[in-house]
């Protein structure tokens, strides 16, 4: 019922860290990969041979497919074509097939819950694997992997000039809409993991979880999904002649709140290198970029209204300053290992880069070069809007019917 950490040798050899992962629109955490597990001996006579074999076959399928998928998620210019028979959707389906059968180990206080030692390799940290004798840890790991695969799918959809799996023949606008649905679904998995699965683990086990499964990181990823969903909505509103300036400002202000909360959950976590550090830098970049958008749109509305021209100019000056900071934050994110790069600008990012400098000459206050603190002090407060995007409501599937006879005959707590 504890957590064991082992060296790469014990985990079958060290994996090489990728140096470059190509273009990124969506930050995708490193995959967690299950290690081989012998179901037969620990479960003993408690289960039929056919059920043990089914559990083993379903999990082995995930081991193989995740092992094939992991190197592909870190290759530049990756497309959503098949790799050794494994695709994102195939792996997602394998996880969905496994989950109902796995739930038999945790339903109704099943005493088999602690009989198996579930082990996963953390792609974010090649020196570490985590083993726990609690089937809820396996459920948590499955839900996390399902969410990460959706992040990867959304990234593929939003990269320009890339193959997009099941969306090859759809327009860019359709891909944007599909990506919002994907983000909400991923957020639903993560929110359920935090609200319903983590509490099933003892405090001792929760303290021993790897960082990528801790509450703060899961909540931050959930908010990232919502923040990126709103970012897509803002880009679509900018491109729409029907969307008012007020609608665009509201979306930008919501985006600031999502990214602020995402940053708050991970800012103090010891994510010191690799994907962990890159995750922090991504959230910081997007938070600053969201502020640039919000202040710019807020400044335009203040300028149209009856507010003092100085107040409107202060908001626009803040937008310019945050845009400058966001460019630095973007560079810091992409240069952090594994290095990455921005695709050609599009959506809200392209709009900001084009519009803010153009509006600067006639709509800013002439402060001196030592102006950052003054700009932030003088900038008007942003409007506070309720957050509109929520995670999809997710519930675990029903336990597989093959467990019915076992539940009736095998003793439970």
């Amino acid at each position: 019922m504890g957590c064991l950490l082992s060296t790469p040798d014990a985990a079958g050899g060290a994996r090489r860290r990728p140096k470059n992962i190509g273009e990124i629109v969506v930050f995708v955490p490193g995959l967690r990969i299950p290690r081989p597990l012998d179901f037969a001996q620990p479960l003993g006579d408690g289960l039929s041979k056919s059920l043990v074999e089914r559990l083993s076959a379903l999990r082995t399928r995930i081991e193989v497919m995740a092992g094939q998928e992991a190197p592909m998620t870190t290759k530049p210019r990756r497309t959503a074509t098949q790799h050794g028979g494994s695709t994102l959707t195939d792996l997602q389906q394998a996880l969905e097939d496994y989950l109902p059968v796995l739930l038999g180990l945790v339903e109704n206080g099943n005493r088999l819950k602690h009989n198996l030692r579930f082990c996963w390799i953390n792609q974010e940290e090649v020196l570490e694997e985590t083993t726990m004798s609690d089937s809820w840890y396996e459920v948590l790991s499955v839900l996390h992997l399902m969410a990460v695969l959706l992040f990867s799918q959304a990234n593929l959809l939003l990269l320009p000039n890339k193959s997009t799996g099941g969306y090859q023949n759809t327009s860019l606008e359709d891909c944007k809409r599909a990506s919002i649905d994907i983000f909400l679904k991923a957020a639903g998995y993560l929110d359920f993991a935090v609200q319903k699965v983590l509490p099933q683990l003892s405090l001792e086990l929760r303290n021993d979880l790897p960082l990528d499964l801790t509450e703060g990181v899961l909540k931050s990823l959930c908010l990232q999904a919502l923040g990126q969903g709103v970012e897509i909505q803002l880009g679509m509103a900018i491109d729409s002649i029907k969307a008012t300036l007020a609608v665009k400002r509201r979306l930008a202000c919501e985006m600031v709140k999502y990214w602020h909360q995402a940053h708050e959950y991970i800012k103090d976590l010891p994510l010191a290198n690799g994907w962990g550090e890159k995750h922090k830098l991504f959230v910081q970049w997007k938070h600053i970029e969201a502020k640039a958008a919000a202040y710019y749109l807020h400044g335009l509305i203040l300028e149209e209204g009856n507010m003092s021209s100085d107040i409107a100019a202060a908001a626009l000056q803040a937008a310019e300053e945050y845009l400058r900071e966001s460019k630095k934050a973007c560079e810091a994110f992409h240069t952090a290992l594994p290095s990455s790069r921005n695709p050609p600008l599009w959506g809200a990012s392209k709009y900001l880069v084009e519009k803010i400098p153009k509006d600067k000459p006639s709509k800013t206050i002439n402060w001196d070069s030592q102006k950052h603190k003054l700009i932030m002090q003088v900038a008007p407060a942003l409007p506070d809007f309720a957050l509109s995007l929520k995670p999809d409501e997710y519930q675990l599937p029903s336990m597989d019917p093959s467990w019915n006879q076992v539940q009736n005959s095998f003793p439970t707590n």
Side-chain angles (χ1 to χ4, degrees):
M1 293 176 62
C3 170
L4 300 177
L5 303 181
S6 65
T7 64
D9 288 338
R15 297 174 181 267
R16 289 197 310 173
R17 288 185 183 274
K19 295 181 180 179
N20 188 304
I21 53 178
E23 293 180 347
I24 284 183
V25 176
V26 180
F27 173 78
V28 182
L31 295 187
R32 303 187 70 252
I33 306 167
R35 298 294 296 159
L37 172 64
D38 179 11
F39 281 88
Q41 186 173 359
L43 296 180
D45 298 329
L47 300 180
S48 66
K49 182 180 178 181
S50 62
L51 185 50
V52 171
E53 289 177 347
R54 189 173 176 208
L55 275 167
S56 180
L58 289 168
R59 195 176 193 273
T60 299
R61 181 185 174 204
I62 295 169
E63 294 166 18
V64 172
M65 298 176 85
Q68 292 173 338
E69 190 65 34
M72 306 315 300
T73 62
T74 59
K75 284 191 176 182
R77 298 186 179 277
R78 181 188 173 217
T79 61
T81 52
Q82 287 195 331
H83 303 293
S86 174
T87 67
L88 292 173
T89 52
D90 290 338
L91 180 50
Q92 192 82 25
Q93 186 60 54
L95 291 163
E96 292 176 7
D97 292 343
Y98 175 52
L99 197 50
V101 185
L102 170 64
L103 290 177
L105 293 172
V106 297
E107 290 286 344
N108 302 321
N110 196 327
R111 290 183 179 179
L112 297 174
K113 181 172 69 172
H114 299 297
N115 285 32
L116 295 160
R117 297 176 63 79
F118 296 101
C119 180
W120 290 68
I121 288 177
N122 185 343
Q123 191 190 20
E124 294 185 3
E125 176 50 72
V126 297
L127 300 179
E128 181 179 300
E129 64 179 27
T130 307
T131 303
M132 290 188 175
S133 299
D134 192 316
S135 297
W136 280 113
Y137 167 63
E138 181 83 344
V139 174
L140 179 64
S141 297
V142 167
L143 289 175
H144 177 268
L145 182 51
M146 289 168 69
V148 170
L149 292 176
L150 290 177
F151 276 83
S152 187
Q153 186 179 354
N155 189 53
L156 289 173
L157 277 175
L158 296 172
L159 285 174
N161 302 319
K162 296 293 187 292
S163 170
T164 51
Y167 301 87
Q168 292 99 328
N169 298 320
T170 57
S171 68
L172 178 59
E173 290 303 302
D174 288 336
C175 286
K176 291 177 183 178
R177 293 187 182 92
S179 71
I180 294 172
D181 292 338
I182 290 171
F183 283 131
L184 296 182
K185 188 174 182 180
Y189 291 152
L190 294 164
D191 184 61
F192 184 88
V194 170
Q195 302 298 330
K196 302 298 183 181
V197 179
L198 278 180
Q200 300 293 336
L201 295 170
S202 67
L203 180 59
E204 178 185 0
L205 288 186
R206 290 202 297 274
N207 290 336
D208 284 340
L209 286 169
L211 278 174
D212 53 341
L213 292 185
T214 56
E215 182 175 353
V217 172
L218 294 176
K219 285 184 174 180
S220 182
L221 284 173
C222 179
L223 288 159
Q224 174 192 328
L226 299 175
Q228 296 212 254
V230 174
E231 181 182 0
I232 302 303
Q233 288 183 328
L234 176 59
M236 295 174 72
I238 287 170
D239 292 338
S240 171
I241 60 174
K242 297 180 179 180
T244 65
L245 198 56
V247 167
K248 297 170 189 175
R249 180 183 66 174
R250 179 187 179 112
L251 290 171
C253 290
E254 287 185 36
M255 201 163 61
V256 171
K257 291 178 71 173
Y258 283 121
W259 288 113
H260 171 73
Q261 292 176 23
H263 180 252
E264 288 296 303
Y265 279 120
I266 61 170
K267 66 178 183 179
D268 296 324
L269 294 179
L271 304 173
N273 52 60
W275 262 278
E277 178 65 18
K278 206 165 179 70
H279 184 191
K280 273 188 175 181
L281 291 171
F282 183 80
V283 172
Q284 290 170 5
W285 164 33
K286 287 300 187 180
H287 186 205
I288 296 169
E289 186 178 60
K291 287 182 178 180
Y295 274 106
Y296 176 68
L297 295 166
H298 187 43
L300 294 182
I301 287 181
L302 292 176
E303 193 175 52
E304 288 182 351
N306 298 320
M307 298 297 293
S308 162
S309 60
D310 284 352
I311 296 177
L316 293 169
Q317 188 74 30
E320 183 199 5
E321 189 69 12
Y322 279 123
L323 179 63
R324 186 182 296 112
E325 285 191 21
S326 76
K327 291 177 180 178
K328 294 178 182 178
C330 174
E331 183 179 357
F333 166 73
H334 285 300
T335 55
L337 294 177
S339 63
S340 53
R341 63 182 182 274
N342 243 0
L345 289 178
W346 60 281
S349 297
K350 182 179 180 180
Y351 175 80
L352 294 175
V353 169
E354 292 177 350
K355 292 291 187 180
I356 292 178
K358 188 168 69 173
D359 283 340
K360 173 189 172 183
S362 61
K363 301 176 182 176
T364 57
I365 300 171
N366 293 320
W367 288 317
D368 60 32
S369 57
Q370 297 180 343
K371 61 186 180 180
H372 179 79
K373 286 187 178 180
L374 182 58
I375 290 173
M376 298 310 146
Q377 290 171 0
V378 176
L382 292 171
D384 185 17
F385 296 106
L387 297 175
S388 56
L389 279 190
K390 305 293 182 185
D392 279 354
E393 187 173 340
Y394 175 75
Q395 296 294 329
L396 290 172
S398 300
M399 183 180 66
D400 190 270
S402 59
W403 281 93
N404 290 343
Q405 184 176 355
V406 177
Q407 293 293 319
N408 291 332
S409 62
F410 198 76
T412 59
N413 291 330

